[in-house]
Amino acid sequence: MTITIGLKDQRFQVAEGEELTFGRSQRTTLCLDPSDLGISRVAGSLEADAGVWWLVNKSTVRPLEVVDDVGIRTVLPPGRRLAVTAPITVIVEGAMRRHALTVDLPDRTADGLARGPIPALEAEEGNPTRAASDVSITSADKLALVALFAGYLEPFPRYDPHPKSYADAAARLDWPRTTLVKRVEYLRTRLTNAGVPNLLGENALQHLAEWALATGLISRADLALLPPR
């Protein structure tokens, strides 16, 4: 099983049994910047173990940022590893600049692995889980979310996993700020009533962004809905 690692316009193939390392040291497979002391000598590696590819944080002090294929960010602490089960972007934060490595997996169906529906349970217990499928999301609702969470959808180096301010998002759409606030707050209330958790309180917008990304309500293709800058 082979994976492909990208750095700027370069592509590297790594087969099972091989290891790709990256960091500040010129002894790594991918030397990001030998003069940037904000990058660990060996920041991380990609290696296979029992047929599973792993991203390993080799640093003792610096975390890695991992962005999945829908735009959700995870922090990988020093000394920890993360199974790579879908395409990811690994962001290495230096003192002078950030570096991004893309990791692409092969189409696993081409390897002959079976794909099919997950079998249903023979019996269901208790009441069904509440879902947000009954909440109607209008095109204006979606446009508001795309403007507010555009940073999650932008490619590196514009990727920014934080909601925009209401003022900035409204200005991008040429809407009054109050119009955007009311639309998003009303949507949050409807989703909360439908069972979506954590949409009230201090980090409500971040949770709303992660829910919208994880459910596929908004995607990188939706950036085309926004007016040009």
Side-chain angles (χ1 to χ4, degrees), residues 20 27 36 39 76 83 93 107 120 135 162 168 174 178 212 214:
L20 180 141
R27 295 183 178 181
D36 191 337
I39 301 173
L76 184 63
E93 191 79 43
D107 183 359
V135 176
H162 301 92
D168 287 345
D174 198 21
T178 53

Side-chain angles (χ1 to χ4, degrees), residues 98-110:
R98 295 192 301 169
H99 303 265
L101 284 72
T102 59
V103 182
D104 292 312
L105 297 174
D107 183 359
R108 303 187 73 179
T109 57

